[in-house]
Amino acid sequence: MQILEIGLRNFQSFGNIRQTIKLNTEKGELILLVGSNGAGKTTIGNNLDFTLYKKVRGKNKKSVTLSNLPNRINKEMVSDVTFIANNNKYFIERGINPNYIKLCENDMPPDDKAGAAIIDDKIVKTIGLDYDTFKTFISMSINDFKNFISLSNEDKKVLLDKMFNLEYINLLNKVLTSITSDNKKDIEILNKEIQTLNNSIYQIENSLKKATEKLYEKIETDHNEQLEILKNDFVTKKQLFDDNKTKLDTGKQKQKELKIKVDSEKTSYIETAEKIKNLNIKLKLYESGKCPTCESSLETDFHSSIKNDLLNQVETLSDIKITLDVNIKKYKEIEDKANNYVNKAIELNSKLNSELNTIKIQRDNTLDKMKQVKDVVKNDESLQEFEASIKKLTDNKVEVENKKVVSEDRLTYHKILSTILGENGVKNVIIRNIIFPINTFIQQNAIMLNLPFDIELTENFDAIIRHFGEEINPETLSTGEMRKVNLSIMIAYLKLIRTKININVLFLDEIFSSIDVESINDVIVLLKDFASEYNINIFLVHHSHLDYENFDRVIRINKDVFSTIEDININEI
């Protein structure tokens, strides 16, 4: 932004004739504004503030009531500024009584349809600075530049943010903080909603459980009596079955034993009969009295003895056969009884087993009926309404929980962004990168002001002052030394800001306050060098006499009835 001309009419002490100051855009100049107290020196800077921002800051940084700005005699006021920005030429004219704002671009007629708020917003965007930043670095009083060493952390933060355009990061962080706050509120709301849904689901499930249990209890009561009868009958018959099975097993064992005895007796009987048969065949030989082969006599004593022996054997075996036959019949009778006992036991077991199966079937049928009745109850419309309500609430809960997961993920991302946008994030990286050039400027300024100190700003922008390599307490500095230290820091800031924002004007009010006469020339040399190097028109407002030859330009504010602006020819003085 290159200001070409400043104009004013009826602004405070100035009269009805328009007064102008044309600025040198080819090179920077150190301009001294002189005049008696109340002549209107400070009004020049106020006029620029009002024209650009429709604001004027008075004593103690309090805003001046705009209705107090017009000349008390003529009552109306007009101020204007002509400047170049972004390769376009702008002319701003602002008035009071009547109140209006006019903005012309590239000598074109103003847009009469645009409202004042829209024009004001466009002016600020064109300049690239808000009013507070403008007052901090363009139109400033040295009295407003606090002792930098004693600035609070908050004041330092505000100053640095304005100087390095970090307010955009602050704005993003503020927006992020607002979004994070809203997100946390959303999570709280979602948690409450989940809790409400959980309570509703629990209450409905509890009601459904109680209703179902009550119905199931009635169903079980109605069928348990039958189940109990079947159970008792089953237990009784099962006991009979088990007892009978024991007897059956005993009978079968007896059968086996008897069969073994009968088979043994039958075998002995057959063997005895066979022996008798063989003996009878031998005895038959003795019936003819002669041997059938040699026809010798068989009636000898020898043969008679053999015959008697055979007869005795036959008689003995016959007795044994009779005994065996009796035993066989006896064992047969016992076996028949045992068989009859076993058969009856088998028949009884079969009957009991059938009855047990019947009881099982009856029990299963009863249980099936219970299940069917329970299924009917379960499918009851009133209970299904409960189930439908639970499902709907559960689906809602899942949906809300999914929203909560998304919000919690956002919160995680917000925390990461908050770290990046916070004081220890990207801002800190930017500030660390500009510490070196600032400290370089400060040291250069300190040398030009003949300060015997090394002044350095830390990454936290705390000023460290060293004398002969030893750190000293700022409280030990004189008022003049402290003022020059602050000037070194202030000019360093202004140099750095000019590398970022190209504005060719700087107003400094009461800059020489508390500075000794010898040091004033050092300050003038520093400012003149600054003006020349950065092509800036620096206006110095001072109430005491200064040597005009030290300045590139001197403007006197004269006041008779009204104030007027006079460019003094330094060469003619």
Side-chain angles (χ1 to χ4, degrees):
M1 177 183 178
Q2 298 292 303
I3 296 179
L4 305 178
E5 182 177 287
I6 300 171
L8 68 163
R9 182 169 63 83
N10 288 326
F11 196 117
Q12 291 181 330
S13 61
F14 286 83
N16 200 36
I17 299 174
R18 180 173 179 265
Q19 304 292 306
T20 62
I21 297 178
K22 296 183 183 296
L23 300 182
N24 191 338
T25 59
E26 299 299 324
K27 65 174 184 175
E29 293 183 332
L30 182 61
I31 304 169
L32 177 64
L33 280 175
V34 297
S36 60
N37 288 337
K41 298 186 296 297
T42 304
T43 301
I44 303 301
N46 290 343
N47 175 75
L48 184 62
D49 293 356
F50 173 76
T51 308
L52 296 178
Y53 295 99
K54 197 182 176 181
K55 293 179 181 180
V56 174
R57 186 177 291 171
K59 295 179 180 180
N60 300 321
K61 293 188 176 182
K62 292 183 178 180
S63 296
V64 175
T65 303
L66 297 183
S67 60
N68 293 331
L69 295 179
N71 184 285
R72 289 191 295 269
I73 297 174
N74 296 320
K75 306 296 184 183
E76 54 93 21
M77 182 193 84
V78 176
S79 65
D80 62 82
V81 175
T82 304
F83 65 93
I84 295 174
N86 303 319
N87 296 321
N88 293 312
K89 183 180 178 181
Y90 295 92
F91 173 76
I92 302 173
E93 184 178 276
R94 196 185 293 272
I96 295 178
N97 296 328
N99 297 334
Y100 71 93
I101 174 68
K102 183 190 296 183
L103 174 62
C104 299
E105 186 174 349
N106 295 324
D107 297 323
M108 297 295 291
D111 185 0
D112 295 331
K113 295 181 180 180
I118 294 175
I119 295 175
D120 287 335
D121 184 60
K122 183 176 181 180
I123 292 171
V124 172
K125 288 180 179 178
T126 302
I127 297 171
L129 297 172
D130 63 19
Y131 180 62
D132 288 335
T133 307
F134 185 84
K135 289 300 292 180
T136 301
F137 300 110
I138 307 300
S139 178
M140 59 187 293
S141 168
I142 193 64
N143 293 324
D144 292 336
F145 191 86
K146 297 178 181 179
N147 185 332
F148 188 82
I149 300 173
S150 62
L151 281 178
S152 67
N153 289 334
E154 186 62 28
D155 285 337
K156 286 181 185 176
K157 176 179 175 295
V158 171
L159 188 62
L160 296 173
D161 288 348
K162 288 181 181 294
M163 188 167 102
F164 304 120
N165 287 330
L166 300 181
E167 290 175 314
Y168 295 106
I169 298 177
N170 292 340
L171 180 61
L172 288 174
N173 201 19
K174 186 177 180 181
V175 171
L176 178 63
T177 300
S178 177
I179 293 173
T180 301
S181 177
D182 291 341
N183 199 38
K184 287 181 179 178
K185 290 177 182 177
D186 289 342
I187 291 175
E188 289 178 4
I189 293 172
L190 291 172
N191 280 331
K192 290 179 181 178
E193 193 171 345
I194 291 171
Q195 184 61 42
T196 301
L197 289 169
N198 280 334
N199 291 338
S200 298
I201 291 171
Y202 172 77
Q203 290 174 358
I204 295 175
E205 284 180 339
N206 195 40
S207 298
L208 177 62
K209 182 181 178 182
K210 287 181 179 179
T212 306
E213 286 177 349
K214 190 173 182 180
L215 290 171
Y216 282 1
E217 184 179 351
K218 184 177 183 307
I219 293 168
E220 289 175 357
T221 301
D222 293 342
H223 292 81
N224 278 345
E225 183 178 352
Q226 179 64 26
L227 288 173
E228 189 65 25
I229 292 171
L230 291 172
K231 177 183 176 183
N232 293 335
D233 194 16
F234 183 87
V235 170
T236 300
K237 286 185 168 51
K238 184 67 167 62
Q239 185 62 47
L240 290 174
F241 179 86
D242 291 341
D243 292 345
N244 189 65
K245 187 173 182 304
T246 301
K247 292 178 180 179
L248 178 60
D249 291 340
T250 303
K252 286 182 177 181
Q253 183 62 33
K254 192 69 175 176
Q255 274 184 318
K256 289 179 181 179
E257 294 174 358
L258 288 171
K259 188 175 184 309
I260 292 171
K261 288 183 179 181
V262 170
D263 290 344
S264 175
E265 292 296 317
K266 282 183 178 180
T267 300
S268 298
Y269 181 85
I270 291 170
E271 290 175 350
T272 303
E274 186 64 26
K275 288 179 181 181
I276 292 172
K277 181 180 177 182
N278 290 331
L279 289 173
N280 285 331
I281 289 171
K282 290 179 180 181
L283 287 173
K284 195 173 182 178
L285 293 175
Y286 288 95
E287 287 181 1
S288 62
K290 290 181 180 181
C291 175
T293 303
C294 64
E295 292 184 357
S296 61
S297 176
L298 298 176
E299 293 179 355
T300 64
D301 291 338
F302 171 75
H303 288 95
S304 294
S305 175
I306 292 173
K307 180 181 179 182
N308 290 331
D309 183 52
L310 290 172
L311 288 173
N312 289 333
Q313 288 184 37
V314 169
E315 184 179 357
T316 300
L317 289 172
S318 295
D319 291 338
I320 291 172
K321 182 182 176 185
I322 291 170
T323 301
L324 288 171
D325 186 51
V326 171
N327 287 341
I328 288 172
K329 289 180 179 178
K330 181 180 71 172
Y331 289 139
K332 186 63 175 166
E333 289 178 1
I334 294 172
E335 185 181 22
D336 290 341
K337 288 180 180 180
N339 288 340
N340 185 49
Y341 177 83
V342 169
N343 290 335
K344 286 183 179 180
I346 290 172
E347 183 180 350
L348 179 59
N349 261 18
S350 177
K351 180 182 177 183
L352 289 173
N353 190 52
S354 176
E355 290 176 354
L356 287 173
N357 287 333
T358 300
I359 292 172
K360 287 180 180 179
I361 292 170
Q362 289 175 342
R363 182 201 63 186
D364 291 343
N365 290 338
T366 302
L367 291 174
D368 286 341
K369 287 180 181 179
M370 285 179 65
K371 183 177 181 302
Q372 290 172 5
V373 175
K374 286 182 178 181
D375 289 341
V376 171
V377 169
K378 187 176 182 181
N379 295 323
D380 184 82
E381 289 185 2
S382 59
L383 295 181
Q384 284 185 334
E385 288 179 4
F386 280 113
E387 294 284 357
S389 297
I390 292 172
K391 185 179 184 305
K392 184 177 180 180
L393 290 171
T394 302
D395 291 342
N396 289 344
K397 178 185 171 184
V398 170
E399 184 178 347
V400 173
E401 286 176 336
N402 289 337
K403 289 180 180 179
K404 180 185 174 184
V405 170
V406 172
S407 294
E408 288 176 337
D409 288 342
R410 285 177 183 164
L411 196 60
T412 301
Y413 302 145
H414 293 167
K415 287 180 180 178
I416 296 172
L417 284 174
S418 179
T419 301
I420 295 172
L421 297 177
E423 295 300 321
N424 295 321
V426 65
K427 287 176 63 176
N428 197 31
V429 174
I430 294 172
I431 289 173
R432 283 203 306 268
N433 288 334
I434 60 176
I435 282 291
F436 178 77
I438 287 182
N439 281 329
T440 301
F441 288 148
I442 291 173
Q443 202 56 40
Q444 291 172 352
N445 297 339
I447 291 172
M448 293 188 72
L449 292 178
N450 291 312
L451 281 170
F453 309 121
D454 291 323
I455 307 166
E456 181 183 5
L457 297 183
T458 67
E459 290 185 359
N460 294 325
F461 282 78
D462 294 324
I464 297 176
I465 304 173
R466 294 184 178 89
H467 191 210
F468 297 116
E470 183 178 347
E471 185 175 346
I472 62 175
N473 190 329
E475 298 294 332
T476 64
L477 300 179
S478 67
T479 303
E481 287 175 330
M482 182 63 74
R483 179 56 63 96
K484 287 196 287 184
V485 167
N486 281 325
L487 278 171
S488 298
I489 297 172
M490 182 186 77
I491 299 302
Y493 281 160
L494 293 175
K495 284 182 178 180
L496 190 62
I497 200 68
R498 282 328 190 271
T499 65
K500 299 178 177 296
I501 302 173
N502 183 20
I503 298 181
N504 69 329
V505 66
L506 173 64
F507 282 88
L508 296 176
D509 195 1
E510 295 301 327
I511 193 169
F512 300 117
S513 175
S514 301
I515 296 179
D516 58 85
V517 176
E518 291 79 7
S519 297
I520 287 178
N521 288 332
D522 294 334
V523 174
I524 291 173
V525 172
L526 173 62
L527 293 175
K528 197 170 184 179
D529 181 75
F530 177 36
S532 176
E533 183 180 356
Y534 290 88
N535 193 22
I536 301 171
N537 292 276
I538 301 177
F539 288 82
L540 289 183
V541 179
H542 189 63
H543 299 289
S544 301
H545 177 73
L546 294 173
D547 189 350
Y548 292 172
E549 293 181 354
N550 292 328
F551 295 87
D552 298 306
R553 185 177 176 185
V554 176
I555 297 176
R556 177 185 289 131
I557 308 299
N558 300 310
K559 184 176 182 182
D560 186 2
V561 177
F562 300 110
S563 298
T564 57
I565 297 173
E566 178 188 4
D567 245 315
I568 296 176
N569 190 338
I570 300 174
N571 296 325
E572 295 180 358
I573 297 177

